[in-house]
Amino acid sequence: MFGVVVVWAVALNLCLFPNEASALLRRNYYANTCPNVEKIVRDAVTQKFHQTFVTVPGTLRLFFHDCFVQGCDASVIIASTANNTAEKDNPINLSLAGDGFDTVIKAKAAVDATPGCKNKVSCADILAMAARDVVALAGGPSYAVELGRLDGLRSISSNVEGKLPLPSFNLDQLTSLFASHHLSRADMIALSGAHTVGFSHCNQIANRIYNYSRKKKVDPMINKTYVGELRSTCHKDVDPRVAIGIDPNTPQVFDNMYYKNLQQRKGLFTSDQILYTDGRSRLLVNLWASNSAAFERAFVAAMTRLGRVGVKSGSQGNIRRDCSVFN
Ligand code: HEM
Ligand SMILES: *[C@@H]1O[C@H](CO)[C@@H](O)[C@H](O)[C@H]1NC(C)=O
Ligand SMILES: *[C@@H]1O[C@H](CO)[C@@H](O)[C@H](O)[C@H]1NC(C)=O
Ligand SMILES: *[C@@H]1O[C@H](CO)[C@@H](O)[C@H](O)[C@H]1NC(C)=O
Ligand SMILES: CC(=O)N[C@H]1CO[C@H](CO)[C@@H](O)[C@@H]1O
């Protein structure tokens, strides 16, 4: 009988926590070592937010890229050195906004300036808290963040290959990439809602509006009016430095407008619009377009699961003194 219970408990544990280290995460991880850490980080992020809105999309996307490449371990923040090209300098990542990195560096400085907290809080946890805080600052939901991640010991540019979704992905490609991190299709659709804020460079979408295929210049999934708006910012001989807001309606609010845009065929990337075009994901798009509370609940749950991906513990990591340099 006891054996059965143990087996059942282990099986349940494996299924709730497919990644073992993520089972170690908990809400009040720093209660004894740095009890005010959440307020310290929030204040630093708020200060940065008042300087520039780019803090919001920059930090949110940084968290996503960190978690998908080698787990949520702040490896994305490591700077390249003479001997090592780090994750952040992989071409797919070059477009990460500097303000996201700066947010974490500033929050880390604020934590370390607090008596008792110096070198007690990981950069990975600071990034997880900051990602939560920017969503709330932009009008989105707030939530309790699980903490206890260690900072990773490696950051290698070539590790990025194949780990991040491309804007050209279809539903099956998106679903299987997220599934490889124990995230469901619903999680993927909810997390894509992060594209309610931020910018994209024109080169990411130029083919959709100028050179879609041999037969068609324009992607038939795009709203005709929207094509005109996109072309007025993203000219044909596209300057890769020019950027365009991903949500054309409320670019500075974390809301459910993303899903309403998809209903109007105003998703910027193929990977956005496909969520409405493909019947297997359209029901959730329609639900979250009409029910922002339901979207917020799904987003919070999905961010929490994203934050458990590839968490490091024990000898797999440490607490970095400087988030951009290994100890
Ligand atoms: C589902 C697959 C996804 C794809 C294919 C994708 C792709 C992209 C691309 C191509 C850009 C524009 C980059 C540029 O040119 O500057 C972008 C921006 C962005 N992405 Fe995603 N993304 C995905 C999911 C996510 C997720 C899960 C999050 C966060 C939870 C996220 C957050 C952001 C944010 C906030 C921006 C704006 C960045 C800025 O303004 O600096 N994305 N994404
Ligand atoms: C990088 O190279 C320098 C000089 O060649 C060397 O001193 C240093 O230990 C190397 N660092 C790593 C992490 O390999
Ligand atoms: C347009 O797309 C075709 C493939 O559909 C490609 O062969 C061609 O090089 C592209 N032209 C430009 C200017 O990007
Ligand atoms: C395209 O956008 C316009 C508003 O800009 C909207 O009225 C129209 O319904 C949209 N078309 C489609 C097919 O969704
Ligand atoms: C997804 C993404 O950002 N891809 C870009 C990576 O960088 C190269 C050029 O450096 C672009 O061609 C890709 O579109």
Side-chain angles (χ1 to χ4, degrees), residues 52-169:
T52 169
F53 185 82
V54 180
T55 305
V56 175
T59 306
L60 191 50
R61 187 167 185 238
L62 195 60
F63 180 60
F64 170 52
H65 282 213
D66 185 33
C67 295
F68 260 46
V69 173
Q70 141 189 313
C72 311
D73 66 353
S75 52
V76 73
I77 302 174
I78 289 290
S80 293
T81 58
N83 338 11
N84 179 46
T85 309
E87 278 174 32
K88 74 183 270 285
D89 290 321
N90 182 287
I92 197 175
N93 261 349
L94 280 178
S95 60
L96 286 170
D99 285 309
F101 295 86
D102 190 49
T103 302
V104 177
I105 306 281
K106 292 226 161 89
K108 166 78 169 168
V111 170
D112 281 355
T114 306
C117 294
K118 194 171 170 67
N119 298 332
K120 292 284 177 10
V121 182
S122 71
C123 301
D125 278 344
I126 290 175
L127 178 53
M129 286 183 263
R132 178 270 312 270
D133 294 335
V134 293
V135 168
L137 283 165
S142 192
Y143 52 93
V145 169
E146 295 176 343
L147 300 169
R149 299 165 190 80
L150 288 182
D151 296 327
L153 305 176
R154 280 190 317 274
S155 174
I156 302 166
S157 171
S158 58
N159 280 353
V160 177
E161 309 298 339
K163 301 284 172 45
L164 294 170
L166 295 175
S168 56
F169 272 14

Side-chain angles (χ1 to χ4, degrees), residues 200-252:
S200 166
H201 294 82
C202 287
N203 57 344
Q204 306 279 8
I205 56 128
N207 66 326
R208 292 192 77 204
I209 56 174
Y210 291 116
N211 187 29
Y212 183 65
S213 69
R214 266 171 190 278
K215 296 212 171 110
K216 288 192 164 67
K217 279 190 163 32
V218 176
D219 183 341
M221 292 198 306
I222 310 188
N223 186 310
K224 297 249 164 9
T225 317
Y226 188 40
V227 172
E229 290 167 22
L230 291 174
R231 284 181 167 176
S232 71
T233 306
C234 295
H235 301 289
K236 191 160 186 146
D237 293 316
V238 67
D239 178 342
R241 286 167 304 183
V242 174
I244 187 161
I246 306 182
D247 172 356
N249 284 318
T250 54
Q252 302 213 338

Side-chain angles (χ1 to χ4, degrees), residues 282-321:
R282 190 184 306 142
L283 284 176
L284 281 179
V285 169
N286 286 337
L287 173 67
W288 293 335
S290 65
N291 186 336
S292 95
F295 162 58
E296 292 191 346
R297 277 194 301 275
F299 182 80
V300 165
M303 282 288 277
T304 302
R305 280 190 279 274
L306 175 62
R308 293 173 187 161
V309 171
V311 164
K312 307 289 183 297
S313 66
S315 61
Q316 300 168 319
N318 59 24
I319 290 176
R320 246 176 253 153
R321 284 187 289 274

